[in-house]
Amino acid sequence: MWSSRSHGQRIAALTVIGTAIVLPLVVFVLGPHMPPGKGTPVASSQVTDNTVLLVVMTPFTMFILAYLAYALVVFRAPKGEEIVDGAPMRGHFKSQVAWLATTTAAVLFLAIFGTTELLADNGAGGGGGPNPVAKPSGAVFPVQVIAQQWEFTYRYPTYGGVETATLVLPAGRQIAFHVTSLDAIHSFWAYQLGVKADANPGVDNVAYVRTKNPSTFQIRCAELCGLWHGYMSDTGRVVSAADFATWIAARRRQFAPSMKYLPKYAPSYAPDPTFRAG
Amino acid sequence: MKLRRLIGFNLLTAVVLGVVGFYVGWWLGHLVKAESIEYFDDTGQNDIALFVAYFTGVVGFLVGLGFANYPVQRLLGKPPSLREKETAGIGRYFGLCTDHKVVGIQYLIGIGAFIFIGGLNAMLIRFELLRPTHLAWNGNNYLTLVGLHGTMMMGMMTSGILGPFANYFVPLMIGARRMAFPRIEALTFWLLMAAGTILMTALAFGGFPTGWTGYAPLSEQSNMGVDAYIAFFALVGLSMMLLGLNMLVTVITMRAPGLSWSRLPIFVWGTITTSVLMVLAAPVLVSTLFMLALDRTAQTSFFNVQAGGSPYLYENLFWIFGHPEVYVLALPGMGIVLEILPVFARKPLWGYRLAVTGMVGIMLLSFLVWQHHLFVSGINGDLRPFYMLSTELISLPTGFIFVCALGTLWAGRIRLTVPMLFALAWIFNFLVGGLSGVFLSDVPSDVTTHGSFFSMAHFHYTIMGGLLFAFFGAIYYWVPKMTGFELNERLGKIHFWVMFIAFNSTFGPLLVIGFLGMPRRVVTYAGYLQGANEWVSISAFVLGASMLVFLVNLVWTQVFVRTPAAANPWGSKSIEFQLPSPVPVHNFDRIPTFGPDPYPYGGIEGTRPVVVPARPTA
Ligand SMILES: [Cu+2]
């Protein structure tokens, strides 16, 4: 029917056309809706990251889909044809090298890009252990997240170590979450902030994020931690500096009588003795 | 003779001895209970008794099957009875049989049954998720369903393709009459059957809330159902090791003269690379679970923080096994797809050496990526760029497999038979699976997707969309050869299209739901996700219904209609299709010789194989 060359040209044309149509859609329509939204600079750069991944994938996806579609239409055996063999082709060195070169370039680009983003964003909102390699410069606002079965409590070491059941953060500050656990492994996931850090007993897992404007954000436990894992969720708030000052002062007054029963603030706490629970 | 058959060594005696063994062990375990097991009196739990009971139960089961006969008879200096080498009759499917073809069919049915149970669990999970709040199961039952589904599928699908198809076809493909260790081959199957039964007993001990990963310290606090999980996975690990070892030795030592490595069918390469992973990764699993069991019984503290242990240790050990494990689930599928595509594109496998390189590359790289499961765990932030790179590098050898699959279609004469449809669907599904994996490999993106429905949908695309589609492709391609009876093509096509559409309609939206912030393994979720979850659940029920179409097809054609299958219905040039259907007991009259190309479609380079077919048995 057609020569190898013209098959190749047609598939290439389909790939180019498909990419030309899909790529703008990915960048301008899908991209802005990629998770986790633009709640914080870290979250925004995750959105960018997700969009870049989609952009890199698009031409490969279009090529494979175009190829499959083309093959299924053009390389089909006519209905009712006796079984006839195709031409015995056992490989094509040039196209194999071309494939290897393009995929290698894409993979190296992604790895380098991801690493740059990771370091530039001080861990990109992910938990980086007790002493993360990339730290924000300047003052940080520490908040301790203490996970236990099946709730989070939050401790503010710069405010006398007061412990609260809700998470409230001042706007426009560089936050350092110190995530730890009292029992099983949990994971502190603040979706709109673009933060996720596992809570391990005995470990101080630090994640950085700079807050923006006053807003609310969803918190869920993202690591299976037992019976009520599915109910381990919370709503946090980012509020203005003034509102935060009022709020934290009220909490310090409210919890003053019970503060003496709390352990001294520490990177982690001795977990409860292992107990048996569902 | 009839009576002797009934009370001889078979499944019936095995079950009886297994149950007796279990209760003897249970009783023994309660004898050795010490006051020092602090929690025993408080809770009525006795993990020691349960572990002993599982052990003696499995031993009883295996003795009942006759696994002790050969060593005991040799020990006593008596000639071994040849019961396990019986060559005819339905009875040999219900006991220890050393014919690799019988074991293959046993695997297909046995594993298929457990996978079906795993699928039913998934239906029950999706039922609960029809509503954002509590609907049908309480928290513990829901998590037990999640755990049973994940563990059953992971455990059984590891041998999902190697068990039935490699056991049956690898000896044929390499021109051998048996596996290197036929009794071990049978043992791997029966260990899995014991394991699957044990996992189901978790229900009797309160279930287990840990999912298939069994992370400590959650698994150390939890009730006795976790012991079932440990026993199950340890037996699966043992079975994997032995299966992999057996395959490796068989392929290395028992190839027919002239069958050099570069002449092996690609499915054999898929089997070898999988086997290497099994042999090297499964021991890590078994040791990890052994440590977990010791923590739970003997009060050691490998993973117990208060006494100096570390949950990170469990996570790392688990994924050092767990990541090779997911390639144990991927490589056989690749082997099957690359085996099926040439037959129905009527082309030689395009880039044979590239495909082999891809498989070996995946095999090697899969040991270097495990910490991508721990990107946000905080274990060592400095290592994240390395694991990001190594994980993304795996897409290179995986890309080889894709380009070989696509190249094989080039200028072919494609016939859309049922196996071919499944193979082509594999390309699509695995593409989605691979691309979604890129998000998880990229740390900034993983911060959102880790532990969400996105990662769950991703690995369902690779394992269900990849392995299970390849599994069904292999079934439609090979089962007529194995049983000698045709499968119905029309039902097969209905099964395919319903399954393909429902699969994508289930897991495609789940990728989005994960992006929108729904974590895995939760019984409640945000209200605005209800519509999407209802869509997914209904799609999942349709997906489940497609399996019923398959079951009807299988039972109807293989039990009732029984149309004899032609020796080579596909015009395949692979050696097994040059033999009668079903393959005779001794495989070949004479060991065949092999030409230079395993896929001589379109002629040239010698025709292969030059087979001296066996006489058909009556
Ligand atoms: Cu939790």
Side-chain angles (χ1 to χ4, degrees):
Chain A
M1 234 179 337
W2 290 307
S3 71
S4 252
R5 180 177 288 263
S6 66
H7 288 316
Q9 284 165 349
R10 277 156 219 267
I11 293 172
L14 281 175
T15 309
V16 171
I17 294 169
T19 310
I21 296 171
V22 174
L23 210 52
L25 292 176
V26 163
V27 176
F28 298 109
V29 181
L30 193 54
H33 293 99
M34 286 307 276
K38 312 220 162 169
T40 62
V42 158
S44 301
S45 75
Q46 288 172 18
V47 173
T48 314
D49 209 274
N50 285 329
T51 312
V52 169
L53 295 189
L54 281 178
V55 167
V56 174
M57 289 168 186
T58 302
F60 287 98
T61 314
M62 286 301 130
F63 168 68
I64 292 178
L65 294 183
Y67 190 111
L68 272 182
Y70 188 86
L72 284 183
V73 174
V74 178
F75 300 146
R76 280 279 285 282
K79 257 211 161 68
E81 186 194 67
E82 288 284 294
I83 295 177
V84 182
D85 287 356
M89 290 178 282
R90 288 177 172 78
H92 185 254
F93 188 69
K94 273 188 192 162
S95 41
Q96 289 174 354
V97 170
W99 175 265
L100 181 60
T102 22
T103 48
T104 309
V107 159
L108 290 181
F109 168 75
L110 286 180
I112 292 168
F113 176 73
T115 304
T116 329
E117 289 275 289
L118 176 69
L119 297 177
D121 285 334
N122 305 317
N131 192 18
V133 58
K135 291 189 183 68
S137 53
V140 294
F141 182 97
V143 180
Q144 188 171 47
V145 178
I146 306 165
Q148 62 183 308
Q149 287 162 330
W150 288 274
E151 62 184 0
F152 293 107
T153 45
Y154 310 96
R155 217 170 169 188
Y156 296 83
T158 43
Y159 294 88
V162 63
E163 198 174 295
T164 68
T166 48
L167 178 58
V168 177
L169 300 170
R173 292 295 299 272
Q174 180 70 54
I175 311 288
F177 287 114
H178 293 259
V179 184
T180 189
S181 166
L182 297 181
D183 37 50
I185 302 174
H186 305 261
S187 191
F188 172 70
W189 183 12
Y191 179 80
Q192 285 85 352
L193 299 186
V195 169
K196 190 178 281 152
D198 281 7
N200 279 273
V203 173
D204 177 24
N205 192 12
V206 184
Y208 296 107
V209 66
R210 176 174 279 283
T211 52
K212 262 163 65 173
N213 310 321
S215 59
T216 58
F217 54 91
Q218 290 306 308
I219 300 165
R220 288 215 68 150
C221 176
E223 185 56 67
L224 181 54
C225 57
L227 186 57
W228 298 104
H229 165 64
Y231 293 84
M232 198 165 158
S233 60
D234 212 345
T235 305
R237 282 184 293 147
V238 178
V239 299
S240 68
D243 287 351
F244 180 78
T246 327
W247 178 82
I248 195 81
R251 295 291 81 71
R252 291 185 75 171
R253 273 196 308 280
Q254 180 188 355
F255 293 119
S258 59
M259 283 296 289
K260 59 174 176 288
Y261 300 110
L262 285 182
K264 223 172 108 54
Y265 179 83
S268 68
Y269 305 92
D272 288 341
T274 300
F275 67 97
R276 290 244 156 173
Chain B
M1 191 61 203
K2 271 269 163 63
L3 186 70
R4 158 129 169 57
R5 181 170 288 281
L6 202 62
I7 59 165
F9 293 95
N10 58 27
L11 188 55
L12 185 67
T13 37
V15 170
V16 170
L17 282 188
V19 172
V20 169
F22 179 89
Y23 282 105
V24 168
W26 184 248
W27 172 74
L28 276 175
H30 279 86
L31 279 189
V32 302
K33 85 161 171 144
E35 297 317 318
S36 63
I37 302 171
E38 75 210 50
Y39 53 77
F40 178 76
D41 288 325
D42 302 344
T43 62
Q45 299 201 34
N46 190 338
D47 301 282
I48 293 177
L50 192 52
F51 277 119
V52 175
Y54 283 145
F55 180 78
T56 49
V58 171
V59 170
F61 180 72
L62 295 178
V63 169
L65 280 165
F67 278 97
N69 295 1
Y70 180 81
V72 167
Q73 282 158 342
R74 298 313 294 252
L75 201 64
L76 300 177
K78 290 181 184 165
S81 76
L82 294 176
R83 186 76 192 278
E84 63 203 48
K85 295 196 172 141
E86 270 178 17
T87 54
I90 195 84
R92 67 205 161 118
Y93 289 96
F94 295 94
L96 164 58
C97 183
T98 52
D99 181 347
H100 68 97
K101 300 181 289 299
V102 172
V103 177
I105 290 171
Q106 286 175 326
Y107 255 110
L108 191 61
I109 306 292
I111 284 199
F114 281 115
I115 289 173
F116 191 76
I117 294 173
L120 284 179
N121 290 332
M123 297 296 106
L124 300 178
I125 292 168
R126 283 317 313 182
F127 182 73
E128 171 66 48
L129 294 176
L130 280 168
R131 291 286 172 275
T133 51
H134 164 79
L135 174 64
W137 321 114
N138 63 35
N140 188 50
N141 289 349
Y142 178 78
L143 287 181
T144 298
L145 284 172
V146 170
L148 277 181
H149 168 71
T151 316
M152 189 65 92
M153 290 302 197
M154 280 293 182
M156 289 297 166
M157 283 314 280
T158 47
S159 307
I161 282 180
L162 257 53
F165 301 118
N167 273 318
Y168 197 107
F169 290 106
V170 164
L172 297 176
M173 286 175 164
I174 64 172
R177 287 208 171 94
R178 60 177 180 89
M179 294 286 289
F181 307 115
R183 255 176 231 96
I184 286 183
E185 184 189 19
L187 180 64
T188 61
F189 168 72
W190 290 108
L191 278 177
L192 275 188
M193 293 303 103
T197 313
I198 284 177
L199 186 64
M200 299 307 293
T201 64
L203 291 170
F205 298 105
F208 60 102
T210 62
W212 82 279
T213 47
Y215 274 5
L218 177 64
S219 52
E220 304 202 329
Q221 325 169 329
S222 304
N223 52 33
M224 284 163 80
V226 173
D227 301 337
Y229 160 85
I230 293 173
F232 167 81
F233 236 150
L235 286 174
V236 168
L238 188 60
S239 168
M240 278 168 78
M241 274 186 259
L242 294 173
L243 175 64
L245 182 79
N246 200 0
M247 284 292 165
L248 281 179
V249 176
T250 305
V251 176
I252 291 171
T253 63
M254 297 181 66
R255 280 170 292 136
L259 188 59
S260 60
W261 289 97
S262 60
R263 294 177 175 191
L264 289 175
I266 198 70
F267 177 62
V268 178
W269 274 105
T271 304
I272 300 171
T273 45
T274 310
S275 300
V276 172
L277 293 182
M278 285 177 157
V279 168
L280 294 179
V284 182
L285 172 73
V286 176
S287 339
T288 310
L289 292 170
F290 189 57
M291 290 154 85
L292 186 60
L294 282 177
D295 270 14
R296 285 178 62 81
T297 53
Q299 314 296 305
T300 56
S301 57
F302 294 107
F303 311 124
N304 183 346
V305 182
Q306 298 97 297
S310 168
Y312 281 145
L313 179 62
Y314 184 89
E315 286 185 324
N316 275 287
L317 287 173
F318 186 83
W319 289 115
I320 286 172
F321 151 76
H323 206 85
E325 154 82 1
V326 304
Y327 285 98
V328 165
L329 298 167
L331 283 165
M334 295 172 177
I336 296 270
V337 169
L338 294 184
E339 190 70 36
I340 288 177
L341 288 176
V343 180
F344 299 105
R346 310 307 301 172
K347 294 281 305 295
L349 176 61
W350 191 86
Y352 175 88
R353 279 168 299 174
L354 194 68
V356 173
T357 314
M359 287 176 169
V360 174
I362 290 172
M363 177 192 94
L364 294 174
L365 277 172
S366 72
F367 283 103
L368 302 176
V369 300
W370 81 88
Q371 276 204 357
H372 66 214
H373 296 273
L374 305 173
F375 274 155
V376 297
S377 74
I379 181 163
N380 188 345
D382 310 359
L383 283 174
R384 285 182 292 183
F386 169 75
Y387 284 103
M388 181 158 35
L389 175 67
S390 64
T391 304
E392 282 164 1
L393 281 178
I394 280 208
S395 42
L396 297 182
T398 312
F400 294 175
I401 307 291
F402 270 99
V403 79
C404 292
L406 295 180
T408 305
L409 297 176
W410 183 267
R413 305 188 77 82
I414 297 172
R415 293 184 303 138
L416 291 186
T417 57
V418 183
M420 185 63 165
L421 288 171
F422 276 100
L424 291 169
W426 180 95
I427 300 180
F428 179 81
N429 294 339
F430 210 81
L431 177 68
V432 180
L435 294 177
S436 54
V438 175
F439 287 92
L440 293 158
S441 74
D442 179 90
V443 180
S445 182
D446 183 65
V447 170
T448 295
T449 49
H450 174 86
S452 75
F453 260 24
F454 184 91
S455 70
M456 185 276 271
H458 154 72
F459 70 71
H460 277 83
Y461 260 103
T462 57
I463 296 173
M464 187 170 184
L467 187 73
L468 204 66
F469 274 75
F471 175 73
F472 279 118
I475 285 181
Y476 285 103
Y477 181 56
W478 273 326
V479 157
K481 172 59 62 185
M482 296 166 80
T483 60
F485 301 114
E486 281 178 359
L487 284 162
N488 185 295
E489 188 176 357
R490 179 179 296 261
L491 282 174
K493 287 198 167 158
I494 295 173
H495 169 212
F496 168 78
W497 283 111
V498 177
M499 182 176 166
F500 179 67
I501 293 167
F503 169 78
N504 280 289
S505 164
T506 304
F507 292 100
L510 279 176
L511 290 169
V512 180
I513 293 174
F515 264 157
L516 292 175
M518 182 162 165
R520 293 167 67 180
R521 299 157 161 171
V522 288
V523 66
T524 66
Y525 53 88
Y528 68 93
L529 292 172
Q530 182 177 354
N533 270 292
E534 281 173 354
W535 172 276
V536 168
S537 286
I538 289 164
S539 302
F541 299 148
V542 177
L543 183 55
S546 75
M547 299 301 154
L548 296 181
V549 177
F550 166 72
L551 270 188
V552 167
N553 191 352
L554 191 72
V555 174
W556 178 249
T557 58
Q558 304 298 310
V559 180
F560 296 104
V561 181
R562 293 170 84 91
T563 318
N568 192 357
W570 314 118
S572 171
K573 300 199 176 178
S574 189
I575 184 168
E576 69 273 17
F577 284 101
Q578 320 310 319
L579 303 171
S581 298
V583 179
V585 172
H586 59 294
N587 295 359
F588 317 99
D589 281 355
R590 242 181 297 153
I591 296 302
T593 52
F594 292 85
D597 187 346
Y599 303 98
Y601 297 96
I604 79 155
E605 295 195 28
T607 355
R608 182 234 179 221
V610 184
V611 181
V612 185
R615 287 180 305 267
T617 45

